[in-house]
Amino acid sequence: MTQCLNLTRRTMLAGAVFASALVPVLTGTVARAEGGDIKTNAAAVAADIAKLERVKVDLVAPPFVHAHTQKAEGAPKVVEFTLTIEEKKIIVDDAGTEVHAMTFNGSVPGPMMVVHQNDYVELTLINPDTNSLQHNIDFHSATGALGGAALTLVNPGEKAVLRFKATKAGVFVYHCAPPGMVPWHVTSGMNGAIMVLPREGLKDHKGNDLPYDKVYYVGEQDFYVPKDADGNYKKYESAGDAYSDVLEVMNTLTPSHIVFNGAVGALTGDNAMTAQVGDRVLILHSQANRDTRPHLIGGHGDYVWATGKFANPPELDQETWFIPGGAAGAAYYTFQQPGIYAYVNHNLIEAFEKGAAAHFKVTGDWNDDLMTAVVKPES
């Protein structure tokens, strides 16, 4: 009980600072709606939006991405999504290490959402009464009100509906950003990404179409699990019980685990992503907190938007690309040889010692012209 009270007091103090920063944001929004130099006819805007076609999307868990058209069909739409917040205990490695995760729709990362530029995103955010914490959502793709965080703060048992216009094309992070607790929630798994496709679809540096056959979403996650005096990872009854110890580890800026899609091995072995020789694959990669350096061992980034923004021409033939923390990137590759491809964070310590690695399992015929064993290893 004492720990819960301490957490609440700490949160309230930090939240007061955060809330004071929101005053001009919220006040300005109200003032513009009611009048002043910048006038917004809210009723007229709502009437115009009400005329648009509505599309309800059923989200899927990463690395998969829900069905979508690569080119926009017709006028902009209102695309409806629902995210249900789930606080849950997860296992992040083969040793049974536990994290009291905070998630969107139960997965780390949260689901990838896809819309087209100038569509409206209408998100219903649900915080069930079975949860214990306050949550919200900040879309890096949105404009105003702290990315929506100022308008979506929901207590257990509440829900909010946010609508924003997707004006920028690209791949963008979203994450929880509650008062006083932003890094704790983000590093507990509460982040994901949204892809806003150009209405005419992806283009290369010359303006030619870049259709893809498959798309996968890799969310890189840093966890900060405390250890006991003997060097063993500690376990806790609840997120609140773990908070002070986790915060201490977080402040070292040294993750205990750096993983793809929530756990060591989540995208290897039987969970490997699949393709065939000749498949054009779009790889979407986000990191809400730390810098990362994706690399496809045995392949390349034929076309890469390292910071994920499709208004910029893609870079060509990349070996490794850099995604800054708080961003999402996109890489497009046509697989040319069968076999297992390792997809890693090319800080190799983080890949091989911390867990930031995945596999692509590719089927098809081998091309000796691209590679062959002239002399095989022999004694």
Side-chain angles (χ1 to χ4, degrees):
M1 184 66 177
T2 302
Q3 288 174 317
C4 291
L5 287 173
N6 288 339
L7 174 58
T8 302
R9 292 192 188 103
R10 183 184 293 110
T11 300
M12 289 173 64
L13 289 171
V17 176
F18 186 88
S20 67
L22 294 186
V23 172
V25 175
L26 299 178
T27 303
T29 301
V30 173
R32 284 192 293 273
E34 293 178 347
D37 294 336
I38 301 175
K39 295 184 179 180
T40 301
N41 189 331
V45 171
D48 289 341
I49 293 174
K51 298 174 185 176
L52 299 180
E53 179 184 352
R54 285 182 167 266
V55 178
K56 188 172 183 178
V57 173
D58 292 324
L59 292 168
V60 298
F64 304 106
V65 179
H66 65 82
H68 60 274
T69 61
Q70 295 183 36
K71 294 186 178 184
E73 297 177 348
K77 299 173 173 58
V78 178
V79 187
E80 300 177 11
F81 300 98
T82 297
L83 287 177
T84 300
I85 297 159
E86 185 178 354
E87 300 167 5
K88 60 189 290 188
K89 184 169 66 177
I90 63 173
I91 305 300
V92 298
D93 60 24
D94 292 339
T97 304
E98 296 179 357
V99 166
H100 287 276
M102 306 172 201
T103 73
F104 292 107
N105 277 22
S107 65
V108 178
M112 174 66 66
M113 306 178 198
V114 182
V115 298
H116 291 88
Q117 192 171 16
N118 293 327
D119 282 344
Y120 290 87
V121 176
E122 189 166 289
L123 174 74
T124 299
L125 183 66
I126 301 170
N127 189 0
D129 59 12
T130 50
N131 289 334
S132 60
L133 298 168
Q134 227 179 36
H135 300 282
N136 62 2
I137 190 165
D138 166 9
F139 282 97
H140 289 193
S141 54
T143 302
L146 302 176
L151 305 178
T152 56
L153 193 63
V154 284
N155 293 306
E158 296 179 341
K159 70 176 181 181
V161 180
L162 173 73
R163 186 178 65 229
F164 69 89
K165 190 173 185 178
T167 59
K168 307 291 186 183
V171 193
F172 300 83
V173 164
Y174 65 78
H175 62 84
C176 190
M181 299 186 290
V182 179
W184 182 39
H185 284 231
V186 172
T187 60
S188 295
M190 209 164 183
N191 58 84
I194 181 171
M195 179 164 67
V196 182
L197 285 166
R199 298 198 70 78
E200 67 279 7
L202 296 182
K203 304 287 184 181
D204 68 12
H205 59 298
K206 296 181 178 179
N208 300 310
D209 287 347
L210 281 179
Y212 46 89
D213 301 304
K214 290 193 170 186
V215 55
Y216 289 109
Y217 172 36
V218 178
E220 187 170 340
Q221 179 67 52
D222 46 321
F223 289 122
Y224 299 81
V225 184
K227 290 183 176 180
D228 62 21
D230 296 322
N232 301 310
Y233 288 117
K234 297 174 72 173
K235 297 184 179 183
Y236 302 85
E237 287 297 317
S238 69
D241 292 335
Y243 178 77
S244 59
D245 288 350
V246 171
L247 186 63
E248 186 175 341
V249 179
M250 283 167 47
N251 282 330
T252 69
L253 304 181
T254 304
S256 59
H257 299 74
I258 303 171
V259 300
F260 290 167
N261 289 36
V264 177
L267 296 177
T268 63
D270 292 340
N271 300 319
M273 297 170 284
T274 62
Q276 295 181 333
V277 169
D279 277 350
R280 301 161 297 184
V281 178
L282 184 65
I283 307 168
L284 309 174
H285 190 124
S286 69
Q287 224 301 4
N289 193 57
R290 301 175 77 251
D291 300 341
T292 186
R293 307 150 190 81
H295 173 82
L296 182 64
I297 300 176
H300 303 90
D302 291 340
Y303 303 94
V304 175
W305 298 266
T307 56
K309 306 309 168 273
F310 299 136
N312 304 316
E315 295 180 283
L316 308 181
D317 304 332
Q318 297 296 294
E319 56 179 320
T320 301
W321 43 101
F322 178 81
I323 299 176
Y332 181 108
Y333 181 62
T334 302
F335 283 95
Q336 299 183 54
Q337 296 279 37
I340 299 295
Y341 291 71
Y343 177 78
V344 301
N345 174 339
H346 212 288
N347 178 322
L348 296 178
I349 300 166
E350 297 183 355
F352 291 96
E353 299 298 327
K354 299 288 188 180
H359 288 160
F360 282 93
K361 187 181 298 183
V362 181
T363 57
D365 296 326
W366 185 264
N367 183 346
D368 280 338
D369 185 50
L370 290 174
M371 180 181 287
T372 191
V374 178
V375 177
K376 295 182 179 181
E378 57 185 7
S379 58

